[in-house]
Amino acid sequence: MPEFADEAEGPHEAKRETRITLLAHRRALTGAQRADAAARVQAELVALVRRLRPTRMTGYVPVGSEPGGADLPAVLRAVLAPEAELLLPVLRDDLDLDWAVYTDSASLVAAGRGLREPAGPRLGRSAVVDAQLVVVPALAVDHRGLRLGRGGGSYDRALARVPVSTVTVALLHDGELVAQVPAQPHDRPVRAVITPAGGLRTLAEAPGVGPPASAGRSRVG
């Protein structure tokens, strides 16, 4: 799910330049490459959901070249227990995130800016607080856990409400887990990332997480 910049509060120039580069790389991926990446990311995320068995988690509907594939909510819903809740974000006019329950693909409606959102009742911005697993988009994440989004700050606000012990995971393409991203004081870290080739990786300096694996997959939770 994209974030959108508030033009009155333009992002730092370093962030802007980094976004341009990363988005160009994503646009250059072929359809086959995107499909393969989506399948790999979904498989890793499904394995994590099965291990954690959350009673409430969040996801999003990937659009365009975002990792995870457009069917990500349906894949997550299928692996959750029947009584568990999958919350998807609803973008507010102030660029903060509300949340609503996803039931099936028919529950999604077209929203502004090319997004699809659940049509059901809004649960409020604080609904994310009770999620045991929070899945977020990113253009890049560094080894501190800091993520680069689209510039609107939507997910930084949501992550600020999440307890430090909550498992927070960003979905990336290969090459988007980087040494360092440009950061500002309001930026909030995630605890782990999933990439197609690297699988699930915990991050060294993310809150509540021990040292990451030196290579390959590692466990969260």
Side-chain angles (χ1 to χ4, degrees):
M1 173 186 173
E3 295 167 290
F4 299 91
D6 182 344
E7 295 300 332
E9 301 176 1
H12 186 275
E13 182 67 15
K15 284 189 172 184
R16 188 184 74 84
E17 293 297 331
T18 304
R19 288 189 186 102
I20 291 172
T21 300
L22 291 166
L23 286 169
H25 179 266
R26 285 188 173 185
R27 285 193 296 269
L29 294 172
T30 67
Q33 288 173 321
R34 293 180 188 181
D36 179 68
R40 290 171 180 265
V41 166
Q42 286 182 7
E44 288 289 337
L45 186 53
V46 163
L48 179 62
V49 171
R50 284 177 172 157
R51 187 160 72 248
L52 295 180
R53 298 182 180 181
T55 58
R56 171 177 281 187
M57 70 170 288
T58 76
Y60 61 96
V61 184
V63 297
S65 59
E66 287 188 318
D71 62 340
L72 181 63
V75 170
L76 294 175
R77 179 61 268 175
V79 76
L80 285 168
E83 67 276 9
E85 291 181 317
L86 173 59
L87 305 187
L88 300 187
V90 177
L91 188 66
R92 293 162 43 102
D93 290 340
D94 62 2
L95 300 185
D96 207 340
L97 296 180
D98 205 328
W99 302 90
V101 174
Y102 172 86
T103 54
D104 53 39
S105 59
S107 70
L108 296 177
V109 296
R113 302 173 176 180
L115 303 178
R116 290 191 297 154
E117 300 171 344
R122 283 22 181 172
L123 303 181
R125 292 173 294 180
S126 63
V128 69
V129 172
D130 297 322
Q132 295 92 47
L133 174 60
V134 174
V135 180
V136 302
L139 290 175
V141 175
D142 68 19
H143 292 281
R144 300 169 295 175
L146 295 176
R147 55 180 290 281
L148 181 69
R150 297 291 186 110
S154 304
Y155 278 95
D156 287 316
R157 286 178 243 185
L159 288 168
R161 302 182 181 109
V162 174
V164 69
S165 59
T166 301
V167 179
T168 51
V169 182
L171 306 185
L172 301 173
H173 285 293
D174 291 328
E176 295 176 350
L177 176 58
V178 299
Q180 188 170 353
V181 298
Q184 293 175 290
H186 66 267
D187 293 333
R188 299 289 172 159
V190 293
R191 293 182 61 188
V193 301
I194 293 175
T195 62
L200 178 67
R201 294 283 300 270
T202 55
L203 303 172
E205 298 182 40
V209 180
S214 58
R217 293 170 173 81
S218 59
R219 296 178 68 87
V220 175

